[in-house]
Amino acid sequence: MADSTLTGIPVATGIAIGKAFFVNRNHMANLPRQIVAAEDMPAEIKRLHAAFKDVETELAAIREQVPEELKSHGSLIDTHLMMLKDPKLSGAAAKYIETLGLNAAWALEKAVSDQEAAFEAIRDQYIRERMQDVRVVAEKVQIKLMGVKTDLSSISGRAIIMAHDLTPADTVELQVDKIMAFATVRGGKTSHTGIMARSLGIPALVGVGRLEEVHDGDLVVIDGLTGKIVVNPTESELAEYNERAALFEDYTRKIRRHCHLPAETFDGSRVMVHANIELVEEVTAVLDNGGEGVGLYRTEYAYLNRTTLPTEDELAEKYIDLAAIMAPRKVVFRTLDLGSDKFISTFGELNETNPAMGLRAIRFCLKNPQLFKTQLRAILRASVYGNVSLMFPMISGVKEIRQAKAWLAQAKAELRREGVDYDPDMPLGTMIELPAAVLIADFLAHEVDFFSIGTNDLIQYSIGVDRTNRHVSYLYQPLHPATLRAIKLVVDAAHQAGIEVSLCGEVASDPFCVPLLLGMGIDSISMTPQAIPGIKRIIRQTNMHDCRLLLKDVLECRTVSRINNLVMDNIFKHFPEEVTFFSSLLENDELPS
Amino acid sequence: MTDENNKTDEAPEYLSRKVFVSSENGLHARPAGRLAQEAQTFDSDISLVAENQTVDAKSILDILTLAAGPGNMVELRARGADAEAALDRLEALFLNKFEGA
């Protein structure tokens, strides 16, 4: 038996076997606390200042290497540098050595606590959060004082990087060619770690409990297909994983060979397969994996990890790049889908008790028209460079969409007056992710040119379940009869009105769900780029006729378990290989009923 | 008594200038960092005063704890040989919303 098996959320597929290397481990548990003799105090103060200076030098060197496209991370490093140079922090620590005789690391701990107290009184949450930055730089100095080596460049050979959390600032320090996989304690499906890993083509797990138990140098297996980490596996486990990794590699190679062929069923029905991305850099992955366009560009990323709002030019530059590189393929820009909680520093705090149902997405944009219009103008400017569409998230009613359209019209009028080109026929769509939108899909269909069904939120809102809450996550069932009826209702309403409908939730890349989506007549599906080859392969080996028959049977089922069994039987029969390498949303423990 | 002491300590020797925080997020990390960085290049003692709170302009942490929001008025005070030059420099920073030099 292996020493232990840990579980996390897989955010990038693949299997990696290698030595663990922990960065950002929580060293503070072993902080030395000693009293220094009076005659040793001057030396201890010297040691403190030297450690500050060393960290400053290291950070300044890193600052020099930050590439132009990660400029926003650069400013974070600038802040950290200024904190290191701040006489308040090192001065307060030196004072504790002088007056109380504490050792340097302990004295700095006291100085940080004092600073924490000063920050706690501040009303501005953004500024309160900067305390984390003070912690980060102080910890770097303390680690230096403790003589712990955490130099990322000291990784010998290739390693599996483990961390409590990996921030964009950390990742600029990593030598990517030495990294085989990532595993972190914190983070969710959309965290930076996953984006990094996917762009590097290595597996990654986030949200791994008990990860801190892994020691540097332990042999670990990272299974980015099932979300498992096996620590110090036995010979036979190792052999098994080696074989699995080789098989997966063969399989990936095989499916990628054909990934540029159209997703067309045996009996000639064609579905477009697009990618969900959040960074322009991901287009390589889209094209390499046979993506026929970008079905969802999440514009949020440009607003995160920074303290100021991006300017119109800044956004336009990104959007134009993306549109131009993908042309003539489609790019669908979704306007900002964030909650007000991400903009406290700009718009103040709202103190919402239930942000999931609060001022988010389109509601937030309509409340902050200037921010909304900046985005609309940037997207319009990009529309002449490629095949650009626009869609609004979280629409709940006709009035809301008309308000959003009014702002779009105003943005167009402004650009016209300024003599700036845009595509007047840019298609406009709406996400369908609220039950309210499902039930009035026929009305909404007359307001827009296309629908995009966001199943992740639709499932959560219609079943009333937070999938990250482990007490009720078993209820998150993509093939719940209600979900299936909702999707069908939307597809039918769209086609009745003569508009196209796509689907961009995780369901789109679940091999078990895809045949049902085909049977419903979805025009396009959009997913993480890495999933495209496998899903295309499934579609290319399917019969539309069979999908319709399966759907008919499924729609008559009254329970999730019955539906899941039906679709699983169908996939096991036709696609045994896919089942080996894909984890499915259906593998969700149901309570015994 | 203490008040009087403070007055005699500070009163005649420092130069003062009032500025408005025009950066859209107020004195947040980046502006605070820029301000401290510039202040550290002068020998004079420089402080920021807002709402009866006086902080060291050479300390990013101090400036952050001031939590001056957009539109707030802040007083710059400098005492020393290069006080005038320091105030010119820091005032320019406020006026340029902390962009550029």
Side-chain angles (χ1 to χ4, degrees):
Chain A
M1 273 298 283
D3 284 1
S4 59
T5 301
L6 313 173
T7 321
I9 305 164
V11 286
T13 58
I15 296 170
I17 302 168
K19 292 259 176 25
F21 187 92
F22 225 106
V23 300
N24 307 347
R25 191 193 281 280
N26 185 3
H27 291 282
M28 294 307 117
N30 315 319
L31 192 80
R33 290 181 164 81
Q34 292 132 1
I35 297 297
V36 182
E39 64 269 23
D40 297 333
M41 282 178 192
E44 192 65 6
I45 291 175
K46 230 194 202 117
R47 220 166 64 81
L48 172 84
H49 288 305
F52 264 91
K53 199 79 208 137
D54 285 352
V55 174
E56 191 189 315
T57 310
E58 282 167 21
L59 210 51
I62 290 163
R63 177 75 183 91
E64 285 305 301
Q65 295 165 1
V66 175
E68 189 58 25
E69 56 270 22
L70 296 175
K71 266 218 315 249
S72 57
H73 305 176
S75 74
L76 178 71
I77 298 180
D78 285 337
T79 300
H80 289 184
L81 275 168
M82 284 315 292
M83 287 175 176
L84 283 166
K85 288 183 189 166
D86 195 320
K88 281 282 174 305
L89 198 57
S90 53
K95 213 165 194 60
Y96 276 122
I97 300 175
E98 216 173 324
T99 53
L100 302 179
L102 308 182
N103 65 307
W106 188 7
L108 180 53
E109 189 57 29
K110 293 275 292 174
V112 171
S113 301
D114 294 347
Q115 197 59 54
E116 234 156 15
F119 269 58
E120 259 162 26
I122 296 169
R123 278 216 315 274
D124 184 325
Q125 187 183 342
Y126 165 83
I127 290 184
R128 274 206 314 272
E129 281 173 0
R130 295 287 64 75
M131 195 55 223
Q132 292 166 3
D133 294 312
V134 180
R135 274 257 155 238
V136 167
V137 297
E139 272 184 23
K140 280 185 197 280
V141 176
Q142 286 167 315
I143 286 166
K144 181 70 67 190
L145 285 163
M146 287 152 70
V148 182
K149 273 230 165 311
T150 58
D151 183 10
L152 296 179
S153 57
S154 70
I155 305 174
S156 57
R158 299 183 67 216
I160 288 169
I161 299 291
M162 300 192 167
H164 188 71
D165 196 7
L166 280 172
T167 63
D170 294 319
T171 47
V172 293
E173 298 183 40
L174 296 166
Q175 291 162 288
V176 291
D177 54 333
K178 286 188 173 174
I179 303 170
M180 301 166 74
F182 287 127
T184 63
V185 177
R186 295 191 50 190
K189 273 215 172 293
T190 56
S191 62
H192 179 78
T193 309
I195 297 170
M196 273 282 294
R198 289 194 298 270
S199 61
L200 295 170
I202 56 173
L205 303 180
V206 297
V208 185
R210 302 181 15 230
L211 189 68
E212 307 260 356
E213 293 172 14
V214 180
H215 304 103
D216 279 5
D218 277 349
L219 183 67
V220 290
V221 177
I222 300 277
D223 187 341
L225 304 169
T226 59
K228 283 200 173 27
I229 298 184
V230 185
V231 185
N232 294 324
T234 60
E235 284 295 327
S236 67
E237 283 170 325
L238 199 56
E240 189 189 323
Y241 270 106
N242 267 318
E243 189 187 4
R244 205 164 130 74
L247 282 173
F248 181 68
E249 212 148 299
D250 284 349
Y251 167 78
T252 326
R253 249 202 306 276
K254 187 167 74 186
I255 59 173
R256 281 185 69 160
R257 262 207 302 276
H258 302 292
C259 75
H260 296 283
L261 296 167
E264 195 174 286
T265 60
F266 277 144
D267 41 0
S269 291
R270 172 92 191 258
V271 181
M272 297 303 282
V273 181
H274 296 149
N276 298 340
I277 62 169
E278 42 210 347
L279 293 175
V280 179
E281 291 77 28
E282 290 178 281
V283 292
T284 332
V286 178
L287 299 173
D288 285 353
N289 286 294
E292 295 166 310
V294 172
L296 167 62
Y297 178 65
R298 300 187 182 97
T299 56
E300 293 76 60
Y301 202 78
Y303 291 79
L304 297 173
N305 300 316
R306 55 185 296 157
T307 57
T308 53
L309 294 174
T311 63
E312 181 187 322
D313 287 346
E314 217 178 308
L315 294 175
E317 194 185 340
K318 276 197 180 73
Y319 299 170
I320 287 168
D321 278 352
L322 181 60
I325 299 168
M326 288 304 296
R329 300 175 191 84
K330 183 189 270 197
V331 178
V332 183
F333 288 89
R334 178 179 68 188
T335 57
L336 199 56
D337 191 14
L338 283 177
S340 59
D341 53 323
K342 297 286 188 295
F343 293 100
I344 288 163
S345 56
T346 313
F347 301 104
E349 200 168 356
L350 287 180
N351 288 324
E352 295 181 303
T353 48
N354 188 354
M357 297 193 181
L359 191 61
R360 290 180 44 208
I362 196 68
R363 308 164 179 186
F364 178 75
C365 286
L366 292 174
K367 269 270 190 330
N368 296 288
Q370 209 41 55
L371 167 133
F372 190 36
K373 220 160 59 178
T374 300
Q375 218 189 3
L376 294 175
R377 285 174 53 111
I379 294 168
L380 282 164
R381 280 168 57 181
S383 66
V384 286
Y385 290 87
N387 181 354
V388 171
S389 303
L390 166 75
M391 70 177 172
F392 300 129
M394 217 183 169
I395 289 284
S396 63
V398 170
K399 184 176 173 190
E400 214 169 26
I401 203 149
R402 287 183 182 162
Q403 283 175 318
K405 275 159 70 172
W407 285 112
L408 180 64
Q410 197 177 104
K412 284 180 177 177
E414 282 176 13
L415 290 173
R416 224 180 4 255
R417 272 200 303 276
E418 296 161 24
V420 179
D421 278 349
Y422 64 88
D423 173 9
D425 303 320
M426 176 179 70
L428 173 70
T430 178
M431 299 263 313
I432 305 283
E433 46 195 340
L434 296 176
V438 171
L439 296 170
I440 56 162
D442 52 336
F443 295 162
L444 293 173
H446 293 289
E447 301 289 328
V448 289
D449 306 310
F450 65 93
F451 281 162
S452 183
I453 305 172
T455 42
N456 299 5
D457 276 347
L458 180 58
I459 296 166
Q460 298 200 94
Y461 284 117
S462 35
I463 302 174
V465 58
D466 169 4
R467 64 185 295 193
T468 60
N469 175 338
R470 57 191 176 81
H471 303 295
V472 291
S473 59
Y474 68 92
L475 287 167
Y476 183 90
Q477 292 289 350
L479 298 185
H480 188 295
T483 314
L484 290 172
R485 282 185 182 185
I487 297 174
K488 188 162 187 321
L489 211 146
V490 175
V491 175
D492 291 348
H495 289 167
Q496 197 92 50
I499 66 171
E500 289 206 340
V501 57
S502 71
L503 190 141
C504 64
E506 279 169 77
V507 167
S509 58
D510 194 310
F512 293 101
C513 303
V514 168
L516 292 178
L517 300 178
L518 294 181
M520 289 192 197
I522 288 269
D523 299 293
S524 60
I525 46 181
S526 197
M527 64 202 70
T528 170
Q530 284 68 18
I532 293 172
I535 294 299
K536 269 189 159 183
R537 180 182 144 98
I538 288 184
I539 296 171
R540 291 177 52 76
Q541 300 187 42
T542 312
N543 235 321
M544 189 55 111
H545 178 71
D546 295 345
C547 294
R548 291 202 186 104
L549 286 180
L550 177 68
L551 177 70
K552 193 170 160 296
D553 288 346
V554 161
L555 288 174
E556 284 167 10
C557 298
R558 295 181 179 201
T559 63
V560 175
S561 30
R562 177 99 189 84
I563 293 174
N564 285 354
N565 291 338
L566 261 183
V567 298
M568 281 184 179
D569 284 352
N570 169 65
I571 287 283
F572 281 122
K573 204 160 62 194
H574 296 100
F575 304 98
E577 238 181 337
E578 272 67 20
V579 178
T580 314
F581 296 120
F582 277 94
S583 57
S584 167
L585 294 165
L586 274 50
E587 294 156 359
N588 193 349
D589 298 336
E590 260 210 278
L591 280 189
S593 47
Chain B
M1 268 316 277
T2 46
D3 276 355
E4 295 231 316
N5 278 345
N6 274 348
K7 267 187 200 144
T8 48
D9 263 359
E10 296 237 77
E13 299 128 324
Y14 67 76
L15 299 174
S16 148
R17 216 166 286 178
K18 289 191 167 62
V19 286
F20 282 96
V21 181
S22 53
S23 46
E24 56 187 324
N25 297 308
L27 284 184
H28 271 189
R30 214 184 53 82
R34 290 278 290 122
L35 194 59
Q37 196 176 8
E38 288 299 331
Q40 284 176 10
T41 62
F42 296 94
D43 293 330
S44 296
D45 289 331
I46 310 167
S47 47
L48 287 178
V49 188
E51 292 177 6
N52 300 331
Q53 217 187 331
T54 305
V55 299
D56 179 358
K58 294 181 183 181
S59 157
I60 184 176
L61 298 175
D62 257 20
I63 300 170
L64 282 172
T65 50
L66 204 57
N72 285 19
M73 209 248 325
V74 177
E75 187 189 349
L76 291 164
R77 289 180 186 175
R79 187 194 348 222
D82 52 9
E84 185 83 44
L87 289 185
D88 286 347
R89 190 99 186 86
L90 300 187
E91 184 182 31
L93 263 187
F94 273 91
L95 290 172
N96 300 334
K97 300 187 185 181
F98 304 92
E99 298 296 340

